[in-house]
């Protein structure tokens, strides 16, 4: 399988600040790829370089087999983190406009815009001006504008941030259906849990540097085991358990990171005495834990 | 132009057509033009007739003044009648009394008619006059003849002498008829034959009173505004001004007193000459004013007669410059607010995934240029239609026609459209650059200051340049690109030489190319930038930076 996107040693500096530091990655066609890292870790800069909005200082990018995005813009869909619509335009119009900008025929774009709005429950808002739409509807229209031309590669920058639960679901559906159609989806996020649910492969980045990348199953193998715990009681009791390396405590929920030779049964036994256990789940460590371990500190979310 | 540029331009155009600003702009102009045509005509039509009274202690001056005042009126009536012979609506001509109609037809014959009547007696000196000049003298002679023939004081007949009396004999035969018609003309009717007839503006009333009683009554009427003014003429005008009085509550409107004084002075002066036994003809000759005939040198080096139209033409470009300035300023301003709006809508990055920054920028500039052209062309069209038909609809005659011919002048109109385009392109690139680095209109206004100052200069220079269109100031400013469109438009009356047109245009086009290049570089960086707008020095560094590289801001270093 060919790669939809290849980055090789891409570096971008803003003055003395290195925003992206010799980043390399291969993203196979047809996959959902998560680009993870805290805010300010260089995700958006990398994406902007991929989109040829910024140019790298060093390194090369190959996108859909081309050295830069200029010549393949019509085959790309891009949803930036900072996004908006023309307030005075009607929803169907603006979708069709985005479509024609991507090289679609005017009629085809109009028809497709109308179909998409029907399909995603905005059929009665075709003639509504964008300024009259709720924030959630606006987000929907923005997403539809990104995929109206059925792009081969979709790049979404923080697509889940600020979405209501309904649109969150919609976003997930769209990403999954793109994959079903053999398309490649790359999205960035700083919320690890989202990536964990739908990504085939991920790349973890911090301060402009790659920490780890690969298929999600392999990435997880590197981290060893853990226990997911839902509990009620005093969180202090979670500390000092035998074989527990570290605790990521969220009050009602905690992740216990185990040493290699830890005995989960013993841990459960001791826990039952101290707190009320509502769920006890032995599993691989979460991406969050992997990330924390890799950076060796607290994640700055 | 790439396909995507056109797509951006089309969207921009269609969106602009939907804005209120655009339609206000489209209709604002014709409304202004209509008002500038309608209001003067309307004011003229509704101008109050000034009622006045005269207490004449001399016993002869009032009568003489009225005779003299009739002369220019009749002259105007005949001229209007001659013009109306070929009027579209025959009723226009038929409105004149039969005697005036006949004389107008006779006068229209000009030199040829005179030659026919006089045969061998036609003076050779008259052959040198142009037909038009001849007709002018001819009309004057008839007017003088009809109004003052039997007055012993026809000094002005020095001119009358140039046209042999025999030539106007036919006209003079109808003299009584016309005098009666004129004397019985009411002010309202008088205005039908020409808005400037003194008969239509001033109406003398008479009261059946005498002495102190009369004066008291007149004063009371002036006080109650039933009377605009009254004159008192002294016993012996020839001796001096003793006993002369003008009483009115409105001393700022000097139309009436000037008019009356002018005719009274002429009459009294003549009688004084007569009293001193100075020959009438000699006196007239001595009093002949020095009269420079206004001429200008045409492009072929020949002398050309300066007509009234020429004077209007000299000043017409001022109006064009003003509208050019408004158009360039308001339409490139559209681009500025538009860019800022896109920036604050956060739609730019979405667009940049489909089009390049250069395509986006040029698309916007082209789209708004179409908007501007639509507006300008609608202005041009509505102006042509309005100045052609509106005065006619309102029944105005004469004076407005000069204005119409200027407003339709293809040379001025073409310059207007071409200089709009060039001026727009220059300022559009400048403003789109500024717009791209600003997040709010407020920020933009700060950066706009120098541009606004630069734009104001051609407005200040407008009057001096019109007075001296080929002077050093005008020539110098023509070569400075931001001023070129306005100054060259301003100088259209000159007009500048072909070399100047070519040279200034080349410099302007080069400047436009440069501003575009600079704007494209700044636009590229500016549209993705948030935070405070960059300083001019910072923008200079942007110009030097290679494409795709974002130079570091000082506060980030």
């Amino acid at each position: 399988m060919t790669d939809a996107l290849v980055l090789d040693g891409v570096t971008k500096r803003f003055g003395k600040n290195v925003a992206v530091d010799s980043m390399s990655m291969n993203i196979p066609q047809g996959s959902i790829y998560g680009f993870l890292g805290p805010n300010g870790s260089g995700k958006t800069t990398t994406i902007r370089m991929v989109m040829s909005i910024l140019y790298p200082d060093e390194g090369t990018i190959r996108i859909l087999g081309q050295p830069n995005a200029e010549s393949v813009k019509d085959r790309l869909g891009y949803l930036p983190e900072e996004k908006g619509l023309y307030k005075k335009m009607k929803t169907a119009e603006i979708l069709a406009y985005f479509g024609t900008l991507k090289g679609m025929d005017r009629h085809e774009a109009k028809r497709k815009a109308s179909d998409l709005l029907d399909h995603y429950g905005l059929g009665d808002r075709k003639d509504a001006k964008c300024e009259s739409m709720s924030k959630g509807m606006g987000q929907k229209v923005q997403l539809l504008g990104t995929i109206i031309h059925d792009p081969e590669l979709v790049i979404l920058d923080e697509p889940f941030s600020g979405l209501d639960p309904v649109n969150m679901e919609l976003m997930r559906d769209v990403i999954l259906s793109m994959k079903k159609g053999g398309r490649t989806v790359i999205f960035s996020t700083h919320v690890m849990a989202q990536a964990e649910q739908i990504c085939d492969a991920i790349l973890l980045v911090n301060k402009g540097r790659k920490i780890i990348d690969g298929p999600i199953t392999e990435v997880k193998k590197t981290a060893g085991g853990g226990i997911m715990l839902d509990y009620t009681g005093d969180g202090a009791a979670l500390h000092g358990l035998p074989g527990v390396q570290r605790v990521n405590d969220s009050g009602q929920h905690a992740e216990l990171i185990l040493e290699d030779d830890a005995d989960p049964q013993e841990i459960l036994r001791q826990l039952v005495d101290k707190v009320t256990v509502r769920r006890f789940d032995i599993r691989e460590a979460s991406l969050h834990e992997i990330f924390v371990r890799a950076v060796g500190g607290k994640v700055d979310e | 132009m790439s396909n995507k540029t056109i797509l951006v331009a089309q969207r921009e155009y269609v969106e602009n057509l939907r804005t209120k600003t655009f339609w206000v702009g489209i209709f604002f102009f014709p409304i202004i033009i209509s008002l500038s045509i309608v209001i003067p005509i309307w004011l003229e039509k509704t101008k109050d007739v000034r009622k006045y009274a005269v207490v004449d202690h001399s016993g002869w001056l009032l009568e003489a003044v009225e005779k003299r005042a009739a002369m220019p009126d009749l002259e105007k009536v005949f001229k209007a009648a001659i013009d109306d012979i070929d009027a579209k609506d025959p009723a226009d001509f038929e409105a004149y009394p039969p005697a005036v109609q006949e004389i107008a037809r006779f006068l229209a014959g000009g030199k040829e008619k005179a030659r026919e009547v006089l045969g061998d007696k036609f003076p050779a000196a008259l052959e040198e006059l142009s037909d038009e000049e001849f007709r002018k003298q001819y009309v004057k002679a008839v007017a003088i003849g009809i109004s003052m023939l039997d007055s012993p004081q026809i000094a002005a007949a020095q001119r009358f002498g140039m046209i042999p009396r025999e030539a106007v004999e036919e006209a003079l035969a109808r003299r009584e008829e016309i005098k009666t018609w004129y004397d019985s003309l009411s002010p309202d009717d008088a205005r039908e034959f020409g808005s400037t007839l003194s008969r239509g503006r001033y109406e003398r009333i008479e009261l059946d009173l005498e002495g102190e009683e009369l004066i008291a009554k007149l004063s009371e009427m002036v006080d109650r505004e039933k009377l605009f003014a009254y004159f008192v003429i002294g016993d012996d005008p020839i001796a001096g001004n003793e006993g002369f009085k003008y009483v009115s509550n409105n001393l700022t409107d000097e139309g009436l007193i000037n008019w009356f004084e002018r005719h009274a002075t002429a009459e009294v002066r003549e009688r004084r000459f007569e009293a001193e036994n100075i020959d009438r003809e000699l006196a007239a000759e001595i009093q002949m004013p020095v009269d420079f005939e206004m001429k200008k040198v045409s492009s072929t080096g020949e002398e050309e007669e300066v007509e009234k139209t020429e004077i209007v033409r000299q000043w017409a470009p001022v109006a064009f410059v003003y509208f050019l300035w408004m158009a360039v300023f308001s339409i490139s301003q559209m681009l500025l607010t538009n860019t800022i709006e896109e920036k604050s809508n956060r739609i730019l990055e979405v667009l940049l995934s489909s089009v390049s920054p250069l395509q986006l920028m040029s698309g916007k500039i082209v789209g708004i240029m179409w908007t501007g052209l639509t507006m300008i062309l609608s202005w041009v069209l509505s102006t042509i239609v309005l100045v052609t038909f509106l005065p006619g609809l309102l029944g105005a005659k004469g004076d407005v026609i000069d204005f119409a011919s200027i407003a339709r002048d293809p040379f001025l109109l073409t310059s207007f459209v071409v200089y709009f385009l060039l001026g727009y392109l220059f300022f559009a690139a400048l403003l789109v650059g500024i717009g791209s680095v600003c997040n709010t209109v407020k920020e933009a206004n700060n950066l706009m200051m120098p541009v606004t100052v630069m734009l104001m200069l051609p407005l200040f220079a407008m009057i001096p340049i019109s007075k001296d269109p080929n002077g050093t100031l005008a020539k110098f400013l023509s070569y400075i690109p931001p001023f070129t469109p306005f100054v060259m438009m301003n100088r259209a009356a000159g007009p500048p030489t072909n070399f100047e047109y070519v040279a200034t245009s080349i410099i302007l086009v080069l400047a436009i190319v440069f501003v575009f290049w600079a704007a494209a570089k700044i636009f590229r960086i500016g549209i993705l930038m948030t935070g405070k707008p960059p300083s001019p020095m910072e923008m200079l560094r942007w110009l030097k930076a290679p494409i795709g590289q974002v130079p570091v801001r000082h506060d980030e270093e």
Side-chain angles (χ1 to χ4, degrees):
Chain A
M1 198 153 46
T2 48
D3 288 329
L5 178 65
V6 180
L7 265 66
D8 185 15
V10 169
T11 300
K12 180 77 191 172
R13 293 182 201 90
F14 295 119
K16 285 171 194 153
N17 170 27
V18 183
V20 177
D21 192 358
S22 49
M23 182 77 69
S24 299
M25 63 173 103
N26 291 50
I27 299 176
Q29 240 167 33
S31 60
I32 299 178
Y33 197 89
F35 193 33
L36 316 180
N39 290 335
S41 58
K43 298 190 299 287
T44 297
T45 306
T46 308
I47 287 176
R48 283 184 172 176
M49 283 190 286
V50 169
M51 290 308 296
S52 284
I53 292 169
L54 296 176
Y55 292 177
D57 297 326
E58 285 163 32
T60 56
I61 295 173
R62 281 194 82 74
I63 180 165
L64 298 176
Q66 299 297 320
N68 69 53
E70 298 286 352
S71 55
V72 290
K73 270 187 174 165
D74 291 355
R75 294 154 65 195
L76 303 178
Y78 173 48
L79 187 66
E81 185 178 3
E82 300 258 309
K83 49 198 174 268
L85 298 166
Y86 285 113
K87 288 184 194 155
K88 301 281 175 198
M89 277 180 100
K90 295 171 183 169
T91 55
E93 270 176 5
I94 197 164
L95 283 184
Y97 175 58
F98 286 145
T100 52
L101 280 186
K102 289 294 191 184
M104 285 173 87
D105 167 82
R106 205 173 287 261
H107 283 288
E108 193 195 336
K110 259 189 193 162
R111 197 180 41 76
K112 189 72 188 290
S114 163
D115 288 352
L116 281 176
L117 288 169
D118 284 336
H119 187 259
Y120 288 97
L122 287 174
D124 54 337
R125 304 304 299 264
K126 280 176 198 165
D127 286 332
K129 283 188 179 170
C130 292
E131 61 186 350
S132 74
M133 310 251 289
S134 70
K135 195 175 169 213
M137 289 188 214
Q139 289 168 341
K140 239 184 209 180
V141 174
Q142 283 154 3
L143 176 63
L144 298 181
T146 312
I147 58 165
I148 185 168
H149 58 299
D150 196 13
E152 289 168 49
L153 170 60
V154 186
I155 299 176
L156 312 166
D157 195 0
E158 294 285 356
F160 294 103
S161 74
L163 293 192
D164 59 32
V166 179
N167 279 330
M168 196 89 87
E169 206 52 51
L170 173 79
M171 180 64 75
R172 207 165 311 176
D173 286 352
V174 168
I175 292 176
L176 289 173
S177 71
M178 294 296 291
K179 178 189 155 80
K180 251 179 235 162
R183 311 301 188 196
T184 313
V185 181
I186 302 171
F187 71 89
S188 74
T189 181
H190 62 277
V191 185
M192 307 291 166
Q194 286 161 347
E196 211 163 348
Q197 290 167 16
I198 53 172
C199 286
D200 299 316
I202 56 150
L203 181 144
L204 273 178
V205 63
N206 190 42
K207 292 180 181 163
R209 293 192 76 97
K210 177 168 83 179
I211 292 165
I212 190 168
D213 69 339
I216 201 151
T217 44
E218 281 173 33
V219 170
K220 284 198 165 189
K221 268 183 207 155
T222 62
I227 293 166
M228 292 296 164
L229 177 72
D230 286 1
Y231 72 99
T232 313
D234 182 7
L238 303 182
H239 297 280
L241 293 167
V244 173
Q245 208 176 10
R246 221 150 37 92
V247 179
N248 297 327
D249 185 11
S250 316
Q252 299 283 313
H253 169 89
E255 182 179 16
L256 309 180
I257 312 302
L258 304 183
E259 283 161 7
D260 287 346
D261 55 353
D263 175 6
Q265 301 306 318
E266 178 56 28
I267 295 171
L268 177 60
R269 207 169 295 129
Q270 294 205 12
L271 269 175
V272 172
D273 294 342
K274 295 176 180 167
V275 298
T276 313
V277 175
R278 298 200 313 273
R279 183 167 76 101
F280 186 85
D281 187 2
I282 306 169
R283 48 180 290 177
E284 295 158 325
S286 66
L287 283 179
H288 181 87
E289 170 56 24
I290 294 169
F291 184 77
V292 172
R293 212 177 287 176
V295 242
K298 193 86 185 104
V299 182
D300 176 27
E301 278 184 13
Chain B
M1 226 183 319
S2 86
N3 190 24
K4 286 188 179 176
T5 306
I6 293 178
L7 281 172
V8 174
Q10 277 172 347
R11 193 208 73 87
E12 205 68 51
Y13 182 63
V14 171
E15 284 305 296
N16 278 318
L17 291 200
R18 290 182 186 169
T19 60
K20 281 194 201 87
T21 332
F22 175 80
W23 291 102
V24 169
I26 289 268
F27 288 114
F28 164 79
F29 189 82
I31 290 172
I32 292 284
I33 291 280
S34 310
L35 288 181
S36 72
I37 296 173
V38 171
I39 288 180
I41 294 176
W42 180 73
L43 275 182
E44 198 55 60
K45 280 198 167 179
T46 57
K47 208 171 188 179
D48 277 343
V49 177
R50 301 289 194 212
K51 286 193 178 163
Y52 71 102
V54 179
V55 182
D56 184 7
H57 294 302
S58 74
W60 52 266
L61 187 51
L62 173 61
E63 195 194 341
V65 165
E66 292 203 320
K67 273 184 181 171
R68 283 178 178 273
M71 200 268 283
D73 275 8
L74 286 172
E75 210 178 321
K76 283 172 192 162
V77 168
F78 286 127
K79 270 189 195 157
I82 293 171
D83 285 342
D84 279 348
I85 291 179
D86 299 322
K88 277 189 204 124
D89 184 0
D92 280 356
F93 187 60
E94 278 154 25
Y96 296 93
V100 173
Q101 286 183 33
E102 263 173 52
I103 291 171
R105 285 215 188 83
F106 163 75
L107 291 174
K111 217 153 48 164
E112 208 173 309
K113 185 81 186 175
R115 213 183 280 120
E116 198 180 292
V117 173
L118 289 178
D120 293 345
K121 277 192 272 175
F122 189 82
L126 293 184
E127 292 287 359
E128 284 175 20
L129 293 178
S130 71
D131 233 6
E132 202 178 323
E133 184 63 20
F134 181 84
R135 191 170 302 130
K136 222 152 90 185
Q137 298 291 352
Y138 204 168
V139 168
K140 186 166 250 164
V142 171
I144 293 172
I146 291 173
S147 55
M148 317 196 286
L149 187 67
D150 55 356
S151 156
Q153 293 88 18
I154 314 177
Q158 198 259 344
R159 292 187 173 201
F160 183 42
M162 286 189 73
I163 309 284
R165 192 181 156 136
E166 291 86 342
V168 293
E169 205 72 20
E170 202 173 325
L172 299 183
R174 311 291 292 266
R175 179 166 181 266
E176 286 308 319
E177 204 178 322
I178 293 169
K179 258 188 84 78
T180 316
W181 168 76
Y182 177 79
D183 286 344
S184 64
L185 205 55
S186 78
D188 283 345
D189 291 341
R191 275 204 291 265
E192 290 300 309
F193 298 100
S195 54
T196 53
L197 293 191
S198 63
R199 219 343 110 90
R201 283 180 294 162
Y202 311 122
E203 184 185 15
R204 188 168 66 82
I205 58 153
E206 280 181 70
L207 293 180
D208 212 7
L209 294 167
E210 271 191 34
E212 292 298 317
E213 228 176 310
L214 175 62
I215 297 290
K217 178 73 182 166
L218 289 176
S219 298
E220 186 201 315
M221 284 174 79
V222 167
D223 194 44
R224 289 192 184 164
E225 297 190 351
K226 292 230 168 82
L227 196 65
F228 182 75
Y230 71 87
F231 294 88
V232 179
I233 295 172
D235 293 333
D236 189 0
I238 294 172
N241 290 334
E242 203 172 324
F244 279 69
K245 248 194 281 180
Y246 171 74
V247 181
S248 174
N249 272 343
N250 180 345
L251 295 178
T252 46
D253 186 345
E254 298 183 328
L256 173 65
I257 186 171
N258 286 345
W259 167 77
F260 197 88
E261 257 177 9
R262 192 168 63 244
H263 292 301
T265 305
E267 181 66 25
V268 169
R269 218 177 250 166
E270 258 178 47
R271 297 217 184 194
R272 283 181 187 153
F273 282 127
E274 204 178 354
E276 299 294 331
N277 282 323
I278 297 171
D279 179 57
R280 202 169 54 183
E281 302 262 321
L282 179 66
E285 214 180 300
I286 291 170
Q287 286 189 93
M288 273 277 277
V290 177
D291 190 5
F292 289 97
E293 194 181 355
M294 287 173 84
K295 291 197 174 194
K296 70 172 221 169
V297 181
S298 74
S299 46
T300 52
E302 281 169 45
E303 279 181 10
E304 275 179 8
E305 196 120 346
V306 182
E307 293 167 42
K308 203 160 129 209
T309 325
E310 280 296 329
I311 296 163
V312 183
R313 187 178 298 272
Q314 195 90 20
W315 290 97
V318 173
F320 277 92
V321 173
Y322 189 66
F323 288 120
L324 181 68
W325 188 87
M326 287 217 310
V328 168
F329 194 63
S330 60
I331 288 167
S332 44
Q333 187 85 35
M334 240 181 191
L335 194 57
L336 176 78
T337 47
N338 208 295
T339 311
I340 294 171
E341 202 186 312
E342 269 179 21
K343 230 186 133 174
S344 62
N345 274 358
R346 301 167 185 280
I347 198 165
L348 281 165
E349 205 172 341
V350 179
L351 295 176
L352 287 184
S353 70
S354 303
V355 299
S356 71
L358 189 64
Q359 283 169 335
L360 181 61
M361 186 183 98
S362 41
K364 292 176 74 63
I365 291 179
V366 170
I368 292 189
M369 180 178 82
W370 291 344
T371 314
L373 274 181
T374 310
M375 205 181 270
I376 291 282
L377 291 180
S378 88
W379 288 6
V380 167
L381 273 181
S382 57
T383 307
I384 291 177
V385 170
L386 286 175
V387 298
T388 310
F389 298 112
L390 197 55
L393 282 179
L394 294 169
K397 288 176 187 164
D399 298 328
V400 210
I401 307 299
D402 292 336
F403 177 56
S405 74
I406 298 276
R408 282 182 307 204
D409 185 321
F411 173 71
L412 289 179
L413 287 184
T414 317
S415 317
F416 185 64
V417 173
V418 170
Y419 281 124
F420 164 73
L421 277 182
L422 293 175
Y424 164 75
L425 287 177
F426 185 90
F427 285 98
L430 216 56
L431 295 201
V432 87
I434 289 177
S436 72
V437 299
C438 299
N439 297 304
T440 62
V441 176
K442 209 174 156 193
E443 284 173 0
N445 284 341
N446 288 334
L447 277 173
M448 274 292 289
M449 272 294 287
V451 181
T452 314
V453 169
M454 189 157 79
L455 264 164
M456 292 311 287
L457 197 110
L459 279 193
F460 292 133
M462 202 156 74
I463 302 298
I465 289 175
S466 294
K467 282 188 179 153
D468 191 6
N470 286 322
T472 318
L473 173 75
K475 282 190 173 162
F476 173 70
L477 290 179
S478 302
Y479 287 95
I480 302 174
F483 307 144
T484 306
F486 308 108
V487 175
M488 290 299 277
M489 186 77 235
N490 209 166
R491 295 177 58 194
T497 61
N498 287 344
F499 169 78
E500 279 180 292
Y501 271 115
V502 173
T504 55
S505 297
I506 290 175
I507 293 176
L508 178 56
V509 168
L510 289 179
I512 290 173
V513 171
F514 172 77
V515 179
F516 258 75
W517 169 83
K521 293 210 89 166
I522 288 177
F523 188 80
R524 232 198 126 87
I525 300 169
I527 44 174
L528 290 175
M529 202 193 66
T530 49
K532 73 169 173 28
S535 67
M537 285 311 289
E538 211 173 337
M539 283 197 264
L540 268 184
R541 286 194 296 142
W542 289 8
L543 293 185
K544 289 185 211 144
I547 284 183
Q549 302 294 333
V550 179
V552 192
R553 310 196 65 176
H554 272 302
D555 48 349
E556 285 172 3
E557 269 174 329

